[in-house]
């Protein structure tokens, strides 16, 4: 739901009220959480995955650092998919 997406962005932005909305603090968490599922990967594959996750975070960050929570719209969201409630 869109309200859950808005809640996520509120948490990611740690009470920052004006753009650019900083979310740097969560980059490490994003990468670490996904890397935990690849603990058995060989070192080269793990490095590639880590670099790829870093690039994904960068794109996500750049996509939303100037978007107000009130302006979030699931029709135009590149990274956040929401479902309408029935």
């Amino acid at each position: 739901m869109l309200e859950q997406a808005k809640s996520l962005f509120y948490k990611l932005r740690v009470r920052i009220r004006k753009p650019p909305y900083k979310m740097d603090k969560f980059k490490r968490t994003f990468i670490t959480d996904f890397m935990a599922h690849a603990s058995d990967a060989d070192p080269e594959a793990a490095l590639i995955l880590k670099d790829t996750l870093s690039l994904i975070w960068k794109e996500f960050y750049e996509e939303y650092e100037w978007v107000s929570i009130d302006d979030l719209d699931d029709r135009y969201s590149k990274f956040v998919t929401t479902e309408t409630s029935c």
Side-chain angles (χ1 to χ4, degrees):
M1 298 179 74
L2 188 56
E3 290 305 314
Q4 290 174 323
K6 289 180 178 185
S7 177
L8 170 67
F9 278 97
Y10 181 78
K11 291 174 184 173
L12 289 175
R13 292 173 176 178
V14 192
R15 294 184 223 81
I16 295 172
R17 302 287 183 229
K18 295 189 303 186
Y21 299 103
K22 301 292 181 193
M23 299 178 280
D24 300 330
K25 178 180 176 182
F26 290 96
K27 178 181 180 180
R28 176 182 284 177
T29 302
F30 174 78
I31 293 171
T32 302
D33 284 356
F34 277 99
M35 291 301 296
H37 298 284
S39 59
D40 294 337
D42 70 82
E44 184 178 350
L47 182 59
I48 292 169
L49 176 59
K50 187 174 182 179
D51 289 345
T52 302
L53 290 169
S54 183
L55 289 172
I56 292 169
W57 180 264
K58 182 179 184 285
E59 287 184 37
F60 171 82
Y61 186 95
E62 289 172 353
E63 181 79 13
Y64 293 103
E65 71 180 324
W66 294 98
V67 178
S68 162
I69 289 175
D70 292 332
D71 292 335
L72 287 175
D73 188 325
D74 54 350
R75 293 175 295 179
Y76 306 108
S77 179
K78 183 176 178 178
F79 290 96
V80 178
T81 303
T82 61
E83 295 180 5
T84 57
S85 60
C86 298

